[in-house]
Amino acid sequence: MKQFLKCSAAILAVAAPAVAFAQSTGSQDFEDSIVVTGAVVNQGVGGVKIPDSPKAKVVLTQEIIERQRPGQTVNEIINLVPGVSFTNNDPWGSSGGSFTIRGFSSDRIAQILDGIPMNDSGNYAVYTNQQIDPELVESINVNLGATDVDSPTAAAVGGTVNINSLTPSDDFGALASVSYGNIAAKGAGDRPMHRVFGMIQTGDFTGHGTKAWVSASRAYNEASFANYGKVDKAQYNGKIYQEIGSNGDFISLAAHYNVNRNNFGGSPGSAAAFSGDKSARFYDVGGAGAPCVLPTPVAGVADQLPSGYCGSQWERRYNPSNTGIQRMSTRLTLTDKLIFSADAAYSTTKANGGGGVAAYESFYYQNGQAYTGYFGGSAYFGNDLNGDGELGVDANGNGRVDPTESDRTAIVNPSQTNTRRWVAIANLAYEFDANNRLRLSYSFDRARHRQTGEAALLDHNGEPLDVFPVNDPLTDSVGNILQKRDRKSYATLNQVAGEYRGMFVDERLIVNLGVRAPFFKRELNQNCFTTAANGNVNCVASGDVAAYALANPAFAAPQQRVYKYDKLLPNVGAIFKITPEVSVAGSYAANISVPGTDTLYNSIFLPATNAASKPVAETSDSFDLALRYQNNIVQAAVTGWYAKYKNRIASAYSFECDCSIDTNLGGVKKYGIDANVSVRPMDGLLVYAFGSWIESEIGADVQTGANSFAATKGNRERSAPGYLWGGRIQGTLGPVDLGAQIKRTGSRWLNDINTFKVAGYTVVDLDLRYNLKDMGLDKAFFQLNVSNLFDKFYIGSFSGGLTTASSTNVNFGAPRAISGSLVIGF
């Protein structure tokens, strides 16, 4: 029988180093420096590893990663980790989804690539469709609790997903992959997916340890449910690695660039209307739908747009993004006892989300003063946009065209974000002796966010002329660019930390004592008038701004504000080896989550003298206690955890203001149990099982007004499943490898007042690989992947809230899909 599992690293003849369990280069080196005698923790079982760390961690390696569908997001892959719940918006991994760990949403989870944070620096969200191609992932380390002490994160209290990219191979090689798939569900019709991927390994091309790889991929698929929409994704990656000496020192430079062009989709109905009837899944876009034609403007009339006009449908909204990150990592031995390590990155984001809306060609009038800009959520251009030679008709005969007489023109008007971000992490580690080590860390993170709302015209068929209106924005008659939002902010973190690790009791006891001191600064520049506490704004492009402010004293005028947050956070833990195979581990960490920029901008509505104008940070104390068993046949762990929160902040997206709305739930308790076991009873067979029980309790009713409260006391938090369980079995017979995995996700509440429960669901996936060695292709195979084998129809992701009604739209879970991939390496 063949050796159990052949990983893609072997296909490429990659000599992979030991799996990195930690986040930054300094954290990895610090953890790897002390290994408990007799522990077999680096081998793992069938691609599942349980590091013997004080914190609860699970590592998935290429042995499992490569068995998942090529192109799949890493967040779907880690659905095999206890405590993790991910709902994919399509079967292919290119449309995003909803992600939690231990019931914490993605804005409370740090997603890390080679030590560098990938979360949005403003709202801390994780965009799962923008992650690195899975063929390039050496391992994924899921930390189910607090982060490492040097992590530059503003909100990771729910866990960390650390993605470690491949180290370049010593030998020349290449890998090519071609995939085709389709949705295989009744009523789906033809909804194809195409993907190609290629990578070249240079090997050592200088003879002095200099090696590199470069890769590119392209993926395309039709919308999963509607008869309109697509996803078009391209990604480019590269990494160069230079060995320095023979003691593990190195310097590495890497780059990642991802381009997404995708429509919104998957939201045809409400939570209350969901009946589980599969015939309702695949639908035609309503209203003017597709194809469609915008009405032709006519001179001499006030041109209007009919209800549901071409271009206004949800499915016509685009969510384009261009994201890039350049990374550097190094480790340098300064003396035989002193090691310096550093990670640095520069990242850029150009992205938006939004669709067609109707704009007024007329001016906006107040107290006889004419303005252009955005008022009450509508654009007033004072400009002939449709080319009929007029703004409308002066039916009132007052010498001007008022909004009721105005031409209405269809425009695309998304919310644009441009981000520039700099990150640096430096560590100095000193080894007193073989059993005692100390490190000092400094972390820096600064992001510039430019958030605007430019508009562009739609083509006659309702398609935007440019999905990035910022490239050539519409203006009023004198050249002022109209913005539906106009703000700039800087998010800065300076953090110092220290950590001690030591071994005692004949190397059976490891103690970890750490503390970090983050200093957060948020500088906000709001260039519009804030009209409500939910962040709604009016933006004046032209007209007497002073007169407008005088006429609207209830609005907060454009202004600047600065917010600062800091806290001393201990982070301690220990491991005790009862036997070489059995250990117990425990950890405690204090955490802080700083309010996101949307929340801070919303607070500008209140005067700076009002104490409520400074949103408070979320703080928490979390505890883990684990029992582990590890050898080369079995890896198993059971972990109990408890977390207590003060000012628990829960975020939800609001279409009304196109921003995130935070709710302070006050005191919240969360606790549960995670367990997993991976067994290799014989060569060629793997059995893996996992499960989690998750509980949360809101401590009091949440105040919603001067004398009103939402009934939340004793309730569970929204979106968090009560339990999760699943498993995987995989075997090899001759040239064939067959795997099957199952995941059960328990029910979730739509809101924090617990009035509507979203039913749980079970999904089964299959993967089959035929190795082509017998055909003379030693490093090639054909792989078939079937997701959602029994075509379970369920509610996947949704945007819940404090009192969200069941009439809110939800996203369906991905339907059954089949893909075939041919992978050839040499």
Side-chain angles (χ1 to χ4, degrees):
M1 188 173 287
K2 287 188 175 182
Q3 183 181 0
F4 177 64
L5 297 176
K6 303 177 185 69
C7 68
S8 60
I11 292 172
L12 288 168
V14 175
V19 171
F21 292 156
Q23 295 171 17
S24 69
T25 301
S27 291
Q28 175 187 337
D29 189 63
F30 198 71
E31 282 202 1
D32 290 349
S33 66
I34 299 179
V35 179
V36 182
T37 301
V40 186
V41 300
N42 288 328
Q43 301 305 313
V45 174
V48 180
K49 306 187 181 200
I50 303 174
D52 216 0
S53 160
K55 299 183 178 73
K57 299 182 180 182
V58 177
V59 176
L60 301 182
T61 70
Q62 270 286 338
E63 234 175 334
I64 276 185
I65 295 170
E66 68 165 358
R67 300 297 163 145
Q68 311 306 308
R69 174 170 284 130
Q72 188 60 266
T73 173
V74 296
N75 299 86
E76 170 69 15
I77 296 171
I78 63 172
N79 243 340
L80 293 170
V81 172
V84 175
S85 176
F86 179 69
T87 56
N88 224 344
N89 288 343
D90 72 14
W92 322 114
S94 298
S95 298
S98 178
F99 178 46
T100 65
I101 294 182
R102 288 181 173 176
F104 292 96
S105 58
S106 65
D107 60 345
R108 291 295 183 268
I109 299 164
Q111 189 122 321
I112 306 292
L113 175 62
D114 293 337
I116 303 301
M118 299 289 284
N119 298 65
D120 188 287
S121 51
N123 62 15
Y124 317 133
V126 174
Y127 300 108
T128 62
N129 59 342
Q130 299 171 10
Q131 305 305 306
I132 191 171
D133 283 327
E135 291 93 342
L136 307 175
V137 177
E138 184 175 285
S139 65
I140 310 170
N141 167 20
V142 183
N143 183 340
L144 299 174
T147 62
D148 290 338
V149 296
D150 64 348
S151 180
T153 178
V157 300
T160 305
V161 178
N162 189 36
I163 305 164
N164 299 289
S165 66
L166 291 174
T167 298
S169 169
D170 290 330
D171 303 312
F172 176 82
L175 177 71
S177 173
V178 179
S179 301
Y180 172 80
N182 216 316
I183 291 176
K186 184 178 180 180
D190 187 29
R191 300 172 185 269
M193 178 277 294
H194 308 267
R195 181 177 184 267
V196 294
F197 170 87
M199 176 169 65
I200 296 175
Q201 293 265 12
T202 67
D204 185 351
F205 60 89
T206 65
H208 299 285
T210 309
K211 47 195 177 181
W213 54 256
V214 292
S215 74
S217 67
R218 182 75 182 270
Y220 174 90
N221 64 267
E222 301 285 348
S224 295
F225 300 102
N227 67 331
Y228 185 86
K230 63 181 181 180
V231 177
D232 195 349
K233 177 179 177 179
Q235 189 175 124
Y236 311 92
N237 291 277
K239 189 173 189 178
I240 184 168
Y241 186 96
Q242 175 64 59
E243 297 174 354
I244 302 175
S246 59
N247 58 357
D249 288 353
F250 71 93
I251 184 169
S252 171
L253 299 175
H256 166 80
Y257 190 68
N258 189 87
V259 178
N260 262 64
R261 298 293 181 267
N262 58 289
N263 295 82
F264 284 88
S267 301
S270 69
F274 182 82
S275 64
D277 179 8
K278 291 184 180 181
S279 64
R281 281 186 298 179
F282 305 107
Y283 66 98
D284 293 341
V285 175
C292 65
V293 178
L294 285 167
T296 301
V298 178
V301 300
D303 295 307
Q304 299 297 303
L305 293 170
S307 177
Y309 62 88
C310 173
S312 64
Q313 295 78 19
W314 166 262
E315 292 79 8
R316 287 180 173 274
R317 295 167 64 99
Y318 279 83
N319 187 206
S321 62
N322 296 349
T323 56
I325 179 169
Q326 295 79 47
R327 324 183 290 283
M328 183 278 292
S329 299
T330 189
R331 178 189 187 274
L332 300 172
T333 302
L334 303 181
T335 72
D336 60 348
K337 291 182 177 295
L338 186 64
I339 295 175
F340 170 79
S341 61
D343 300 272
Y346 172 69
S347 62
T348 61
T349 299
K350 180 180 181 180
N352 69 47
V357 299
Y360 292 100
E361 291 190 353
S362 69
F363 291 90
Y364 175 79
Y365 292 94
Q366 186 175 22
N367 297 338
Q369 172 71 45
Y371 299 92
T372 63
Y374 280 76
F375 304 92
S378 296
Y380 297 80
F381 277 88
N383 197 7
D384 177 21
L385 301 178
N386 62 20
D388 66 356
E390 61 188 16
L391 303 184
V393 294
D394 182 14
N396 294 326
N398 60 2
R400 69 189 190 199
V401 177
D402 294 322
T404 56
E405 308 160 315
S406 175
D407 283 354
R408 301 290 299 276
T409 300
I411 61 173
V412 60
N413 196 197
S415 296
Q416 178 72 36
T417 296
N418 284 277
T419 301
R420 302 290 182 268
R421 187 177 189 179
W422 300 262
V423 176
I425 307 168
N427 282 271
L428 271 177
Y430 184 79
E431 186 177 281
F432 294 96
D433 53 43
N435 295 327
N436 296 276
R437 202 174 195 207
L438 177 72
R439 72 162 166 159
L440 299 177
S441 305
Y442 170 71
S443 302
F444 173 80
D445 187 354
R446 182 171 173 84
R448 175 192 182 274
H449 314 114
R450 186 71 175 98
Q451 296 174 296
T452 55
E454 296 88 353
L457 291 174
L458 294 174
D459 204 348
H460 68 282
N461 62 356
E463 283 289 292
L465 295 176
D466 190 336
V467 294
F468 283 114
V470 67
N471 293 340
D472 187 19
L474 292 175
T475 66
D476 62 17
S477 59
V478 294
N480 296 305
I481 298 174
L482 268 65
Q483 307 276 19
K484 73 174 185 180
R485 66 174 186 177
D486 186 4
R487 60 199 202 186
K488 180 172 67 175
S489 63
Y490 293 89
T492 306
L493 166 65
N494 286 279
Q495 177 176 275
V496 293
E499 186 176 19
Y500 164 80
R501 287 174 67 89
M503 290 196 299
F504 307 92
V505 193
D506 296 327
E507 301 181 348
R508 296 170 61 191
L509 174 66
I510 290 181
V511 175
N512 184 310
L513 304 175
V515 63
R516 65 186 180 106
F519 298 88
F520 299 97
K521 184 179 181 181
R522 300 292 185 260
E523 303 167 73
L524 274 61
N525 298 271
Q526 174 59 274
N527 300 318
C528 297
F529 288 82
T530 308
T531 64
N534 67 358
N536 285 350
V537 294
N538 287 351
C539 300
V540 179
S542 69
D544 191 332
V545 177
Y548 184 80
L550 187 63
N552 298 277
F555 298 165
Q559 59 187 276
Q560 297 178 338
R561 288 196 186 175
V562 176
Y563 301 84
K564 294 182 179 181
Y565 301 89
D566 58 80
K567 191 172 179 63
L568 196 65
L569 304 170
N571 193 317
V572 302
I575 309 166
F576 183 73
K577 297 295 294 186
I578 300 173
T579 72
E581 293 82 19
V582 179
S583 65
V584 292
S587 66
Y588 160 75
N591 308 289
I592 185 172
S593 291
V594 176
T597 51
D598 280 338
T599 298
L600 297 176
Y601 275 115
N602 296 352
S603 70
I604 287 178
F605 181 71
L606 299 173
T609 55
N610 188 328
S613 68
K614 182 179 180 180
V616 296
E618 173 185 295
T619 57
S620 64
D621 297 285
S622 59
F623 304 84
D624 276 13
L625 182 62
L627 175 65
R628 300 170 185 151
Y629 181 87
Q630 298 165 293
N631 60 28
N632 60 355
I633 298 176
V634 177
Q635 296 254 315
V638 177
T639 303
W641 58 274
Y642 174 85
K644 185 175 182 180
Y645 294 83
K646 182 179 180 181
N647 297 311
R648 173 78 174 102
I649 306 299
S651 300
Y653 179 76
S654 169
F655 290 100
E656 183 181 3
C657 66
D658 196 17
C659 65
S660 295
I661 299 294
D662 282 359
T663 300
N664 189 333
L665 298 178
V668 173
K669 293 185 293 185
K670 295 171 73 77
Y671 48 92
I673 297 174
D674 298 319
N676 63 313
V677 57
S678 181
V679 183
R680 192 199 313 254
M682 58 184 291
D683 285 345
L685 182 63
L686 164 71
V687 180
Y688 172 62
F690 62 92
S692 295
W693 168 65
I694 303 168
E695 187 60 77
S696 68
E697 182 180 337
I698 301 173
D701 291 339
V702 173
Q703 190 165 4
T704 56
N707 298 297
S708 60
F709 294 82
T712 56
K713 184 176 181 180
N715 290 353
R716 286 181 57 85
E717 292 177 286
R718 63 182 182 259
S719 305
Y723 65 90
L724 303 159
W725 61 261
R728 177 175 173 84
I729 184 169
Q730 183 174 306
T732 298
L733 183 62
V736 177
D737 300 331
L738 179 64
Q741 57 197 44
I742 185 172
K743 177 66 175 288
R744 173 68 182 177
T745 300
S747 60
R748 299 159 288 166
W749 289 105
L750 184 68
N751 52 42
D752 295 312
I753 56 176
N754 290 181
T755 58
F756 189 89
K757 183 177 287 189
V758 176
Y761 59 94
T762 304
V763 173
V764 176
D765 301 334
L766 293 181
D767 55 272
L768 182 148
R769 173 177 295 188
Y770 186 84
N771 296 290
L772 303 178
K773 183 176 181 180
D774 293 341
M775 300 174 62
L777 301 172
D778 290 347
K779 300 170 183 177
F781 58 85
F782 175 79
Q783 182 165 301
L784 185 71
N785 289 90
V786 183
S787 55
N788 196 359
L789 175 66
F790 298 108
D791 197 25
K792 176 65 178 177
F793 184 34
Y794 60 95
I795 294 176
S797 60
F798 54 83
S799 183
L802 177 65
T803 59
T804 298
S806 59
S807 58
T808 188
N809 278 17
V810 295
N811 292 320
F812 294 160
R816 179 170 54 215
I818 301 176
S819 65
S821 303
L822 178 62
V823 180
I824 299 176
F826 64 87

